Amino acid sequence: MSDTAYTPPKVWKWEQENGGQFASTNRPIAGATHDKELPVGEHPLQLYSLATPNGVKVTVMLEELLAKGHAGAEYDAWLIRIGDGDQFGSGFVEINPNSKIPALMDRSGETPVRVFESGSILMHLAEKFGEFLPKDGPARTETLNWLFWQMGSAPYLGGGFGHFYAYAPEKFQYPIDRFAMETKRQLDVLDRQLAERPYIAGDDYTIADMAIWPWYGQLVLGRLYDAAEFLDVESYKNVVRWAKEIDARPAVQRGRMVNRAFGDLEMQLHERHDASDFETRTQDKLEAAE
């Protein structure tokens, strides 16, 4: 163990230069840093997001609802560049005082409703449209079990393993070992669950799959933290099978593109206002037209 010993002070003080890759946006206080109104499109559902795993959960859900024929699920998706601090604008903070993407405004009723936290948005949409969440009984409870499992578990993957393995200014064995162990334990939990059923909560595709796949599915597909080999993800054969099946769904492929501002240009649809945008407004086409 080569980690440098650290003795915590009696009172912690914020030193911005110690924040690593996200030092410019991480801070120990809440609230807006600047005034900025959010744009509003023509559809009742207004999404403000970025295609991180948490953002992808919601765009996948919306695209799946549209694929099922729910015209009321049409939405405007606006890009929030968290690296630039867009989430600290006054308009965004009004929707989500926690300044995290995704955030949704549902303007379909007489009074607009703000919905924040990805799990809450998934539940809101599932109940609004009567899809991807059983209405009652054991099946509903099992789906919610796994939805809340993801909400409680993913911070160990993203903020724990992902941070120390990929983003921290220095690599130290102790935190990487600690969070790699927990990530692999969680993958084993999923692998055992998926050994006996096609989807996370049973025979049907639900919001539990939509919540878990952007994190753990994309991890085993090699899309997160460049850590697939390090974590030996191929050994979780049931998770890999499930991840590939969901990845092949057209609505999932579209959901991955919305509010994406990194990676291959043909996969980047910064804003989504109409289904035709997938064909005409990806970054490869917009840049070619300039």
Side-chain angles (χ1 to χ4, degrees):
M1 184 71 67
S2 60
D3 297 7
T4 302
Y6 169 65
T7 302
K10 289 184 178 181
V11 178
W12 182 84
K13 293 182 180 180
W14 181 27
E15 296 181 10
Q16 289 178 277
E17 66 271 17
N18 289 340
Q21 183 171 334
F22 299 103
S24 63
T25 57
N26 288 336
R27 59 198 183 107
I29 54 176
T33 60
H34 58 283
D35 291 329
K36 184 176 181 180
E37 293 186 8
L38 292 175
V40 179
E42 65 179 31
H43 299 300
L45 299 177
Q46 299 292 304
L47 179 67
Y48 304 93
S49 192
L50 179 70
T52 65
N54 285 334
V56 167
K57 296 176 194 176
V58 177
T59 49
V60 164
M61 175 63 163
L62 289 164
E63 292 298 327
E64 292 281 13
L65 288 168
L66 290 169
K68 274 185 165 283
H70 291 282
E74 274 292 354
Y75 67 104
D76 292 286
W78 304 94
L79 180 62
I80 299 296
R81 295 183 183 271
I82 61 176
D84 295 342
D86 290 350
Q87 70 276 31
F88 299 118
S90 56
F92 190 91
V93 173
E94 286 178 7
I95 301 178
N96 186 356
N98 196 39
S99 293
K100 302 290 184 182
I101 61 93
L104 178 74
M105 283 297 296
D106 184 347
R107 299 176 178 272
S108 60
E110 291 185 7
T111 302
V113 175
R114 72 177 187 181
V115 196
F116 60 91
E117 291 298 325
S118 56
S120 180
I121 297 173
L122 290 177
M123 282 193 66
H124 176 80
L125 294 172
E127 292 177 338
K128 180 181 181 72
F129 293 101
E131 299 282 3
F132 304 115
L133 175 63
K135 290 181 171 54
D136 52 33
R140 178 183 175 87
T141 300
E142 183 70 357
T143 300
L144 295 179
N145 287 342
W146 287 101
L147 174 64
F148 288 103
W149 176 88
Q150 186 280 321
M151 299 296 290
S153 296
Y156 290 98
L157 170 55
F161 174 75
H163 176 77
F164 287 105
Y165 183 78
Y167 302 133
E170 298 179 72
K171 286 183 168 57
F172 294 110
Q173 182 180 350
Y174 175 77
I176 291 175
D177 282 354
R178 172 66 182 87
F179 289 111
M181 177 176 65
E182 175 61 15
T183 297
K184 288 180 70 66
R185 188 193 69 80
Q186 293 175 4
L187 286 169
D188 193 44
V189 169
L190 293 174
D191 204 59
R192 292 169 186 265
Q193 179 73 1
L194 289 164
E196 301 177 356
R197 51 193 56 77
Y199 297 106
I200 293 294
D203 293 333
D204 297 322
Y205 177 59
T206 68
I207 58 173
D209 300 284
M210 297 179 202
I212 294 169
W213 182 85
W215 283 102
Y216 298 88
Q218 295 204 97
L219 179 68
V220 301
L221 292 174
R223 296 175 184 158
L224 294 186
Y225 313 126
D226 196 22
E229 182 179 8
F230 179 76
L231 294 171
D232 187 24
V233 297
E234 289 296 328
S235 65
Y236 304 99
K237 299 185 183 303
N238 300 308
V239 181
V240 172
R241 181 268 306 163
W242 164 84
K244 288 180 177 179
E245 289 180 7
I246 292 180
D247 191 51
R249 296 177 69 92
V252 172
Q253 294 171 13
R254 291 193 296 273
R256 285 187 59 221
M257 296 170 64
V258 179
N259 295 145
R260 187 177 179 89
F262 49 88
D264 295 337
L265 293 178
E266 63 268 21
M267 285 294 295
Q268 295 186 32
L269 183 61
H270 289 187
E271 294 182 6
R272 189 267 192 215
H273 305 289
D274 184 82
S276 64
D277 291 344
F278 291 102
E279 301 299 326
T280 63
R281 296 193 61 77
T282 53
Q283 282 303 110
D284 57 324
K285 294 181 175 67
L286 292 181
E287 294 189 11
E290 290 179 354

